[in-house]
Amino acid sequence: MRVVILRRSKQLVLVLLSVFGLWLGVIVMNGKLPSHHVSLVFNQKTDATDSFPANAGTEKYLPEKSITTLETEQTQRKKLAKEVCTLSQKKPNLDSVIKDRVLLDHIIVDEEHRLLYCYVPKVACTNWKRLLMVLMGKANTTNPLAIVADDSHRLNVFRRLDNYTGEEIRYRLDHFMKFMFIRHPFERLVSAFRNKFGQNSSSADYFRSRYGRQIIKQYRTNASEESLSRGHDVTFREFVQYIIDPRTVARANFNEHWRPMVDLCLPCTIQYNVIGKYESLMDDAWLVLEKANLNQKVSFPRSDRPSSTNSLVEEYTKHLTREELLHLYHIYEMDFRLFDYHSPGFD
């Protein structure tokens, strides 16, 4: 009798151990499986090969503001832009834009994720391009900050909207998520000047040779031979004199680094889903990725060196006469009005 009871006890223990093992296996397997399925709001297809470590290249960022607050800010920005555009004479219709497609050359197309990004130089466009390179599989890294900045600006890295047919352009404008980022016009201008005329880089060497020598020759009295040959010591006031000169305005479009943002992205013609601001860059970048259901794949890179340009604007502009400052304001007036930036004494 005792032997039978002992055998049955052993059998019961084995059954319990088996059940426990199965239960533990399920728990472990569930822990390895994804807890959610990502479906893109603006992209109906999914691709099993499209996988990135969560928040590639950066730690996860969460805005302090709620998504409702961020969406409300977007509604207000787009409402103001629409009101200003309605009153403006500078409102090209879509037919004329499609006919002159070069106007769309700053809009990058991401077919897979159904995104249209209009890049504005000096408004975090390098990091946006790096992020898109990671998303589109155009880099052998999942960390956007590991991509050399110059590589993100090469001409053939991305396909632009001006490379499509008229019908294809219309479809993408109707069905893809469109976003752009903006910045205070004078802050952007100072940033462009410092970057293209003040730094030691191959890009700055080009700008000093291409523009600096011409600016010094035209706006500096008794310029030295060295300055005329190198263009290395352009002042901000000389740079502004070049920009506001009617001959400059009439001759051709500005270089993209100081061309008005409304001319680069055509917000009076294209209805953007998100108009992000440099002043709220991380929050607005998070919103773009959230609306595209991409926050689980990548995060917008955070810079360890916050821009100091904002505090320098007054220092640079104080050397301008009131008339020069007023002319400069008029060059960028639509940027000021459309995007709700203020220039005291000129609005």
Side-chain angles (χ1 to χ4, degrees):
M1 184 67 179
R2 289 182 179 177
V3 173
V4 172
I5 293 174
L6 184 60
R7 286 178 179 175
R8 289 182 177 178
S9 298
K10 289 181 178 180
Q11 290 173 349
L12 180 60
V13 170
L14 289 173
V15 170
L16 290 174
L17 288 173
S18 298
V19 171
F20 177 75
L22 288 172
W23 175 79
L24 183 61
V26 170
I27 294 298
V28 171
M29 288 299 294
N30 282 340
K32 290 182 178 179
L33 293 175
S35 59
H36 60 279
H37 174 71
V38 175
S39 59
L40 299 184
V41 175
F42 290 89
N43 186 5
Q44 299 304 313
K45 72 167 187 166
T46 56
D47 186 352
T49 64
D50 183 17
S51 60
F52 302 94
N55 308 297
T58 55
E59 61 185 62
K60 187 173 178 61
Y61 175 83
L62 290 174
E64 293 183 4
K65 297 177 182 178
S66 68
I67 190 169
T68 302
T69 300
L70 295 175
E71 290 279 20
T72 299
E73 290 176 351
Q74 286 300 314
T75 300
Q76 293 170 344
R77 287 176 196 170
K78 289 183 282 189
K79 180 175 181 291
L80 175 62
K82 185 175 181 180
E83 290 172 351
V84 174
C85 288
T86 301
L87 297 173
S88 171
Q89 301 297 318
K90 195 173 184 179
K91 186 181 178 182
N93 62 53
L94 185 57
D95 290 335
S96 64
V97 169
I98 290 177
K99 188 175 181 179
D100 186 10
R101 290 175 201 169
V102 69
L103 296 172
L104 301 171
D105 68 344
H106 273 67
I107 300 180
I108 292 172
V109 182
D110 179 351
E111 291 284 349
E112 182 176 353
H113 303 99
R114 299 172 76 86
L115 299 174
L116 296 179
Y117 165 52
C118 182
Y119 70 92
V120 177
K122 309 315 301 175
V123 191
C125 75
T126 299
N127 279 346
W128 268 117
K129 288 179 179 180
R130 286 166 162 164
L131 185 70
L132 289 173
M133 287 179 71
V134 171
L135 277 174
M136 298 165 72
K138 293 180 177 293
N140 58 358
T141 179
T142 57
N143 180 1
L145 293 177
I147 300 172
V148 177
D150 286 348
D151 289 346
S152 70
H153 297 305
R154 299 193 189 285
L155 286 177
N156 297 322
V157 173
F158 301 106
R159 192 174 181 187
R160 316 295 175 92
L161 196 58
D162 63 328
N163 296 140
Y164 291 79
T165 67
E167 183 179 350
E168 291 170 336
I169 291 171
R170 291 181 186 276
Y171 177 84
R172 281 153 184 78
L173 288 174
D174 287 341
H175 296 90
F176 285 24
M177 192 180 84
K178 305 169 289 293
F179 66 100
M180 64 177 291
F181 276 74
I182 57 178
R183 187 178 189 177
H184 188 288
F186 286 176
E187 183 181 333
R188 176 174 170 249
L189 193 65
V190 169
S191 178
F193 173 76
R194 286 164 53 83
N195 180 247
K196 298 307 177 186
F197 293 97
Q199 292 189 355
N200 292 319
S201 66
S202 58
S203 176
D205 288 340
Y206 165 79
F207 275 81
R208 285 188 284 263
S209 175
R210 170 68 178 81
Y211 295 99
R213 293 187 300 175
Q214 175 189 346
I215 290 172
I216 291 172
K217 179 180 179 180
Q218 201 156 346
Y219 304 102
R220 185 180 300 179
T221 304
N222 299 323
S224 69
E225 287 299 324
E226 182 183 17
S227 295
L228 289 170
S229 64
R230 296 179 58 195
H232 66 294
D233 57 353
V234 176
T235 68
F236 184 69
R237 186 182 181 192
E238 291 168 340
F239 176 55
V240 168
Q241 288 174 329
Y242 163 76
I243 288 177
I244 65 177
D245 190 325
R247 293 170 296 182
T248 304
V249 178
R251 189 161 46 238
N253 285 331
F254 287 153
N255 178 276
E256 63 175 359
H257 291 86
W258 49 85
R259 193 181 309 168
M261 294 178 283
V262 293
D263 293 341
L264 290 171
C265 294
L266 308 175
C268 287
T269 304
I270 298 171
Q271 305 303 308
Y272 287 90
N273 301 96
V274 175
I275 299 175
K277 285 197 169 188
Y278 190 78
E279 297 81 7
S280 52
L281 175 61
M282 291 305 299
D283 282 359
D284 293 339
W286 179 90
L287 181 64
V288 169
L289 297 175
E290 183 70 13
K291 289 172 74 69
N293 269 358
L294 293 172
N295 265 329
Q296 298 302 318
K297 292 183 176 181
V298 291
S299 285
F300 188 80
R302 277 190 269 191
S303 173
D304 294 330
R305 299 179 300 165
S307 172
S308 61
T309 309
N310 182 48
S311 61
L312 294 174
V313 171
E314 185 176 350
E315 178 183 334
Y316 277 81
T317 57
K318 71 181 182 182
H319 300 292
L320 305 179
T321 67
R322 181 177 178 80
E323 184 180 8
E324 289 168 342
L325 200 56
L326 183 59
H327 280 307
L328 191 63
Y329 171 79
H330 285 317
I331 293 288
Y332 297 99
E333 184 174 5
M334 279 295 287
D335 283 350
F336 276 98
R337 294 175 56 209
L338 201 74
F339 303 128
D340 197 26
Y341 289 111
H342 300 283
S343 180
F346 300 107
D347 294 325

